[in-house]
Every structure is written in C-alpha cells, then in structure tokens.
Amino acid sequence: HRAQLARQAMDSYKKVFDESITMGMVGAGKHEYDADYIFAMVETLNRDQHLFQFAPDTFDCIILDEAHHSPANTYQKVMDYFQPKLFLGMTATPDKRDDNQDGRNVYQLFHYQIALEIRLQRAMEDNLLCPFHYFGINDITLDEDKREDRSTQGTGSEPAYEVRNNDSSEVTFSQLTSDERVNHVISQAEYFGYSGSRVKGLIFCSRNKECQELSRKFNERGYRTLALSGSDSEDTRARAFERLAMEEEDSSTEMQPLDYIFSVDILNEGVDIVEVNQVIMLRPTESPIVFIQQLGRGLRK
C-alpha cells in the first residue's frame, strides 16, 4: 500500500504545480532520480544503490509523511544522510507508547519544533473532519459453558472478547467467529446504523484468519464483503476500495458494490475512502495510535 500512497501524493502535487516542475518516483519498480520533486518509498530509498544516487544536499526540503515512523532505522538512515534546509514531518499520531526511550521520540527527532498542531477535537471544530457518533457496545463473552456480556466501555482499550480457563488459540478463534457473535455484531451494526443510502463499512479484526471467516459468514447472511490482507496485490485493494465506494446504480455484471471490507491493519494509514460511513472495531488495542488511525478511516470528508 505504500506505493499507492506515494502515487496519491504525486497526483495531489500535480494538481497544484501542473507542468511547472517535473516529478518522479523512487520505488514500486521505478527509479526516476532526475526529477525536481521525488516521491520515494523509504523501503527503497534507504538502500545504498538508491540513496547514493543523490548528493546529501540535493534537496531543499524533505517531507516525511506518517512521521511517527521516523524513529525506525530505515527512516533514520535517510535522515542521517541528507542535509536539506528543512525536514518537515507530518503525522496525525505523534504520541507513541515508547516516547520515553531515547531516539524514539518523534518530537525530539524534529527538535521539538511544531509548525502546526491540530488535534481531533480541533479538527472537528474547524470542519476538517466528519462529525461522528462513537458507540462502545457489549460484546459476547464465552466463559466455558457460561455465557455473559462484557462492556467495552467505549474506550478502545478494553478487550472485545475474553476466553477464560483455556489457552487454546483454536478455541479462541472459534469463539471470535461463532454464529452467535456474528449475529450479535450484525444486529448492533444495523441498530446503530450509518449515514447515507447504504452501508459502506470497514471492519477491523485481530487476525487475518478471523477477517476471512467473518467475511464468509457475513456473506452467508446476505452482505457483500471481502477480507483484505498484506498478501493482496495493490490492484486487488484498489478494486475493493472502488467497489466499497460505488453506488448501487453503478453496479454491473463485472463489478458489484461491497458493503464491508474486513482487515487487520493494512487500512490504518493513508487510505482515503471518503465514502466510508461506518467503522466497526472488533479488535482490542492498547495503542492510541492504532485506535485513532482506524477511527480516522471513517472521518474523511
């Protein structure tokens, strides 16, 4: 998906600069080193055969998107090599759980210079994001033969499931994908609803196998869904996004709309499907970054 993000960025810059500058890409099989503006995948650029194509002072400005990744070795190699007039880091999630570790703090890497800070509440007030309702609902908890409800409290940090007195991952998986839980999730999703003519939803799960099985069971109940993972090609993902966004009247024998896309984490960053009108989180997370990233998939205007 990183190649897709680089192409999206290039397309946006082309709308602004038109033909006044040249643009090239380094990554996804392309090595266009001589353009005025270079859009690079860090996994490609940090390799010596690509990095050393440029002098350290080649660029006036280097922009690092999703800059919360900048403490990673791949990013650090690029940042240590180049000497631009300006490093500009952009991220919606600068605060991380390991900020107390030396070299891991994003603010520190950018010398605590914040050009602009807009938090979620401010973005809502400034009409930059869609208004939303967030519901923390009771998930079904199976305690051996005893069944009970457990509230998620709406915090995003409580577990969405619990299996007691049994260490078997297979039992855990079977309970996550039980008919009882599937029916419960569907009934809650239908009850709380969505904005628009039809649901266009993203469902985040804890593992790919769970995504696949839940997608299958949703389809058995009349929904049109599929599961995406890191093994799916960029074309497969792009087609899935297009199907999710399309309207019923645009359907054809070749392409039918989707109601839901299931995934674990490949949709966390940079995927802008503005038509999304419902996000369902079926995975526990103690990471505020992951929580805000996944919530944010439904806030694009």
Side-chain angles (χ1 to χ4, degrees), residues 22-128:
T22 60
M23 300 186 189
M25 184 177 294
V26 175
K30 296 186 177 181
H31 311 123
E32 299 164 342
Y33 304 116
D34 297 327
D36 298 322
Y37 284 20
I38 304 293
F39 296 82
M41 296 169 60
V42 69
E43 293 86 350
T44 303
L45 185 61
N46 85 93
R47 299 175 193 157
D48 291 349
Q49 65 265 38
H50 303 294
L51 190 62
F52 296 155
Q53 294 288 333
F54 305 99
D57 60 354
T58 297
F59 300 105
D60 296 311
C61 175
I62 294 180
I63 301 172
L64 295 98
D65 199 10
E66 307 292 356
H68 50 275
H69 292 308
S70 57
N73 291 337
T74 51
Y75 284 78
Q76 283 300 295
K77 182 177 178 180
V78 172
M79 294 183 73
D80 289 343
Y81 177 75
F82 285 115
Q83 300 171 4
K85 298 174 182 176
L86 174 66
F87 272 117
L88 178 64
M90 304 178 67
T91 174
T93 49
D95 303 300
K96 311 193 314 308
R97 293 170 64 86
D98 58 356
D99 281 344
N100 59 323
Q101 300 178 24
D102 188 49
R104 305 296 298 175
N105 188 301
V106 175
Y107 298 95
Q108 181 183 24
L109 292 175
F110 290 89
H111 308 290
Y112 299 96
Q113 298 184 55
I114 300 174
L116 179 66
E117 181 176 11
I118 303 178
R119 296 285 174 167
L120 181 62
Q121 185 65 35
R122 165 81 182 279
M124 301 280 294
E125 293 170 355
D126 289 352
N127 204 29
L128 299 174

Side-chain angles (χ1 to χ4, degrees), residues 140 178-189 218 221:
I140 291 176
S178 68
D179 288 339
E180 185 177 4
R181 187 176 191 242
V182 171
N183 293 337
H184 179 69
V185 170
I186 289 176
S187 67
Q188 295 295 325
F218 266 62
R221 288 159 175 77

Side-chain angles (χ1 to χ4, degrees), residues 137-156:
I137 65 171
N138 289 343
D139 201 352
I140 291 176
T141 300
L142 304 179
D143 182 4
E144 293 184 345
D145 294 329
K146 178 183 176 183
R147 301 192 174 192
E148 60 183 51
D149 283 340
R150 177 181 178 92
S151 173
T152 62
Q153 305 296 322
T155 64

Side-chain angles (χ1 to χ4, degrees), residues 9-22:
M10 183 184 292
D11 290 341
S12 294
Y13 272 73
K14 285 180 178 177
K15 292 177 182 177
V16 174
F17 290 96
D18 199 18
E19 302 296 327
S20 60
I21 60 171
T22 60

